Amino acid sequence: MFHFRRKVVILYCSFHKILVTNTLRCSIGEEFSVVRNYSQKKGKKKGTNSVSTLFVPISVKSNPDDINVGVELTGALNKGDLLKILTKFYQKPEIKVLSLENGMDSYIQNQVYASFKKFCLEAESLPADLHVVFSDILQDAGHVDDIFPYYLRHARQMFPHLECMDDLRKISDLRSPANWYPNARSLNRRIIFHAGPTNSGKTYHALERYFSAKSGVYCGPLKLLASEVFKKANDRGVPCDLITGEERKFVNGEDNPARHVSCTVEMTSVNMPYEVAVIDEIQMMRDPGRGWAWTRALLGVAAEEIHVCGEEGAVDLVKYIAATTGEDVEVCKYKRLTELTLESSSLGSLNNVRPGDCIVCFSKNDIYTVSRGIEARGMEVAVIYGGLPPGTKLAQAQKFNDPDNPCKVLVATDAIGMGLNLSIRRVIFYSLIKPIVNEKGDKEMDVISVSQALQIAGRAGRYGTQFDKGYVTTFKHEDLDILRKLLGQTPEPITKAGLHPTADQIELYAYHLPNSTLANLMDIFVSLSTVDNCLYFMCNVEDFKFLADMIQHVPLPLRARYVFCCAPINRKMPFVCSMFLKYARQYSKNEPLTFEWLCRSIGWPVTMPKTIIDLVHLEAVFDVLDLYLWLSYRFIDLFPDAKLVRDMQTELDDVIQRGVMQLTRLLLNSETGVSSGTGTDTQEQFSIKQTKQAYLRGERVSTSIGERVSTSEPVGQGKLTERLIAQGLLTPTMLQELRREWKLDGEEKMQSSDDESKPKTKSKKKPKI
């Protein structure tokens, strides 16, 4: 029986060797010259080596049989002889050309050869067929070229993409994104483009059609805009739901969705049919990070009428994209409703600030400096910047807009460019230099674009406000001529729209490349992707990859990992990133992220900010709560306490609002070294602590420090308290004990505060020896 098996193995190896050798020699002999020419052309292809470096090699190990059949058939092999054969094999130019034909460029060839050589020299037993080939070559019964099939097999084990490169390229072929949306393609859609500058009424006309339709969807760039349309629709008697990444509001209940929906553009449904769709700020298609969402809405929304609103510079691109779907675009152009005048002189000094002015800054440091300078001159200031919660932004806007409020000056970033209705008389550019994100995802400083200048300047003199004329100028004299040139131009034409790989596409990649990380898969996808360069570009995926690398060590299913990495967080905020990682770890353990767990993780309840650093931290905490809510709609079972978290956000928003109202004091404390947890309690700090405690008692505290407003419910009987008791986080006994402590603590602190309000003599510090 053993001799019979030995004969079978010899016959198999001999037949395999003859077949491979004849084919290989024919290939090398007849096509070598053609392949050489082809390889020279292919080697010049840009990015070949850079793509290859993205593929991570897999270690190939020998799998020895119980019986070393190769040695038994032909005898043991001398390692020195093997090394000579392998060296001769790899030095042959024909082998390198043939490797190139099989997808191996020089980078991969070097790695494969090093691994193959190590495999052959260090393996305790080689595969029987490879052992026989080496033996035949040593006995001059074979040719060194006979090694190539085994070399290629080894290469494909190291780099699985060599066998599926064509499939990978097909998956990442993005030249016809319109075909991704069959529901939209089945309709004969009518597209109306409402083009015009800020304050021209273009969105108003689109929304009027939206309100009159039997069903509709509004796709906005910001939560504030989506919330505003949601409110307007319901105020006009048009039942409308609100859907954002972090919030859902159903006017008729979740089981009975309204026919109208107001949503952020990323949440646009491409499956639900509508009569009318409104896509606002369509020029955002060019955004390097979020542009894909507008492209997806334009190509995929299944509506009979699509009203797109935005700058005139986007008209041609929308027409070109519509042409790929066989649709026509009607263009309605609008002019500005109020006059906008560029002043002949710059502001020069904060002494020249007047009521109705808005000073626009492009950094938080400038926001702090300008706000403090204006308040030092006896004027109240409203402050708006991107990091503030939506409620705080609205509160600051209302404070500035209220004619009875003494606050008449606004200091803001370009966050005012869209989403807020502001009564501004004059816009003042504190600077024209702004940090921008380039195509590689890196930040660099540059002069603002024409589009940004027009968008921000256009906020002055808004139609329907107390200022029927708008004015614009700069703070520095040297910036005035630059601003004049910017405002004298039309917005830059938008030439390309963004695209982004979908979860399904990445899953297909993972199927072919199971050993690659998610960040690695994304890199490979982007490198191999093919887009219509005349119409589209690949959106920046650096934030996605950053999050993917952060949680790579956390065991998660691919789909869940992809969803986590799509979370809209600012990777520049360390606290938010650390909590993101904690969320992922807790999810991977299949353990619910409860209200109690979250409170422990973020240090809830929070205290009133004493310094700017404290305020920035509270803004980060708010973003962490936002992230929880965002994840709660995607992983309902493991993020169960969304309602409690929303209550936390309401309380935190109130704390941040009061912190912003005292911005100058926070700046002063930062300079004098005051920090959280140091110093004695003042009356104000006592009130702050009472606010923290009121959170659990169900009380509401007004924006005036220390002024408590009782609800109709007894203390300790609020809705939140009831929920905490129902969940076992707070017992009636604990509640009674807390009441006693609150009462005693309040009396002691009030007495301490009264004592501290009296003048004290300061003792001089002794010098350190």
Side-chain angles (χ1 to χ4, degrees), residues 77-285:
L77 300 174
N78 183 280
K79 300 297 183 181
D81 293 337
L82 280 184
L83 180 58
K84 291 178 182 178
I85 293 174
L86 290 170
T87 303
K88 182 179 179 182
F89 166 79
Y90 189 63
Q91 287 177 347
K92 294 192 67 174
E94 296 93 335
I95 296 300
K96 294 185 178 181
V97 170
L98 202 58
S99 298
L100 188 62
E101 274 298 283
N102 283 274
M104 292 183 275
D105 59 17
S106 59
Y107 173 81
I108 291 181
Q109 286 183 41
N110 290 334
Q111 291 200 72
V112 171
Y113 174 68
S115 175
F116 184 65
K117 181 173 69 174
K118 182 178 180 181
F119 175 83
C120 293
L121 297 178
E122 297 181 2
E124 293 182 6
S125 62
L126 292 173
D129 51 355
L130 179 58
H131 190 105
V132 170
V133 169
F134 277 127
S135 178
D136 287 349
I137 295 172
L138 288 170
Q139 298 174 24
D140 293 328
H143 194 277
V144 71
D145 295 344
D146 299 345
I147 301 173
F148 185 80
Y150 310 99
Y151 173 76
L152 180 60
R153 180 176 67 187
H154 188 93
R156 288 174 174 172
Q157 289 176 316
M158 278 187 71
F159 296 98
H161 77 277
L162 295 175
E163 289 190 278
C164 60
M165 201 65 174
D166 289 340
D167 290 336
L168 295 179
R169 292 190 186 278
K170 288 177 182 177
I171 295 168
S172 55
D173 187 346
L174 310 181
R175 286 174 292 184
S176 301
N179 297 335
W180 303 346
Y181 310 104
N183 291 342
R185 299 293 75 77
S186 66
L187 299 175
N188 183 21
R189 305 187 308 172
R190 179 187 173 203
I191 302 177
I192 301 97
F193 195 124
H194 301 267
T198 304
N199 197 19
S200 60
K202 55 185 183 298
T203 306
Y204 168 82
H205 288 89
L207 286 176
E208 286 299 305
R209 179 66 186 97
Y210 167 79
F211 293 140
S212 65
K214 295 178 181 178
S215 63
V217 57
Y218 170 81
C219 315
L222 300 170
K223 287 182 284 187
L224 282 175
L225 277 173
S227 299
E228 182 182 346
V229 172
F230 163 77
K231 185 176 183 302
K232 281 183 178 179
N234 287 293
D235 288 347
R236 292 182 55 159
V238 179
C240 179
D241 294 336
L242 174 68
I243 298 179
T244 71
E246 300 81 16
E247 189 173 14
R248 309 283 192 275
K249 288 184 180 179
F250 300 95
V251 292
N252 299 324
E254 291 188 37
D255 298 332
N256 185 23
R259 292 189 175 184
H260 284 71
V261 177
S262 179
C263 64
T264 44
V265 66
E266 286 87 352
M267 302 304 297
T268 305
S269 171
V270 295
N271 298 316
M272 187 69 65
Y274 300 103
E275 181 183 351
V276 169
V278 176
I279 306 175
D280 208 356
E281 305 293 351
I282 191 65
Q283 71 275 2
M284 291 287 286
M285 284 192 299

Side-chain angles (χ1 to χ4, degrees), residues 659-678:
V660 172
M661 290 170 63
Q662 303 173 51
L663 202 58
T664 298
R665 185 175 64 82
L666 300 186
L667 287 167
L668 181 61
N669 288 345
S670 297
E671 293 174 357
T672 56
V674 175
S675 61
S676 297
T678 61

Side-chain angles (χ1 to χ4, degrees), residues 302-516:
E304 298 171 19
E305 282 184 30
I306 301 177
H307 295 256
V308 295
C309 309
E311 297 175 1
E312 193 171 340
V315 170
D316 288 341
L317 179 58
V318 172
K319 284 184 175 180
Y320 294 145
I321 292 175
T324 65
T325 62
E327 296 166 334
D328 295 324
V329 179
E330 304 172 28
V331 180
C332 302
K333 295 185 178 181
Y334 301 84
K335 294 183 179 180
R336 184 177 169 85
L337 298 174
T338 59
E339 183 181 348
L340 180 64
T341 303
L342 175 64
E343 294 187 337
S344 58
S345 60
S346 60
L347 188 70
S349 169
L350 293 179
N351 292 324
N352 299 323
V353 170
R354 297 290 179 266
D357 282 351
C358 171
I359 302 181
V360 177
C361 308
F362 294 117
S363 75
K364 271 191 177 181
N365 286 336
D366 287 346
I367 287 277
Y368 300 149
T369 301
V370 173
S371 300
R372 186 174 182 178
I374 293 175
E375 288 192 346
R377 289 162 172 79
M379 292 180 281
E380 287 194 36
V381 179
V383 177
I384 297 175
Y385 53 86
L388 293 176
T392 303
K393 289 179 185 174
L394 286 173
Q396 292 291 299
Q398 291 168 0
K399 173 183 173 182
F400 174 72
N401 289 338
D402 185 358
D404 298 326
N405 195 296
C407 174
K408 302 299 181 185
V409 179
L410 175 65
V411 179
T413 63
D414 53 342
I416 65 164
M418 59 181 74
L420 290 169
N421 291 319
L422 297 164
S423 182
I424 299 172
R425 174 185 172 273
R426 178 172 62 171
V427 166
I428 302 160
F429 286 89
Y430 190 70
S431 170
L432 295 177
I433 304 296
K434 177 187 175 182
I436 63 170
V437 179
N438 60 26
E439 294 179 354
K440 297 180 180 180
D442 300 325
K443 276 193 174 184
E444 55 186 33
M445 305 300 292
D446 200 359
V447 176
I448 61 174
S449 66
V450 173
S451 174
Q452 291 169 331
L454 291 168
Q455 183 88 14
I456 297 169
R459 305 297 287 178
R462 189 171 181 84
Y463 182 77
T465 67
Q466 57 182 311
F467 302 115
D468 56 357
K469 289 184 180 181
Y471 300 88
V472 59
T473 187
T474 60
F475 184 81
K476 303 172 186 175
H477 176 72
E478 57 268 26
D479 288 340
L480 194 57
D481 286 339
I482 300 175
L483 181 62
R484 183 177 289 106
K485 292 177 181 177
L486 290 172
L487 298 181
Q489 302 176 50
T490 55
E492 306 91 338
I494 301 169
T495 57
K496 295 180 182 180
L499 294 175
H500 193 277
T502 65
D504 292 335
Q505 290 168 328
I506 297 301
E507 277 189 337
L508 287 173
Y509 256 55
Y511 171 78
H512 288 293
L513 305 171
N515 295 287
S516 296

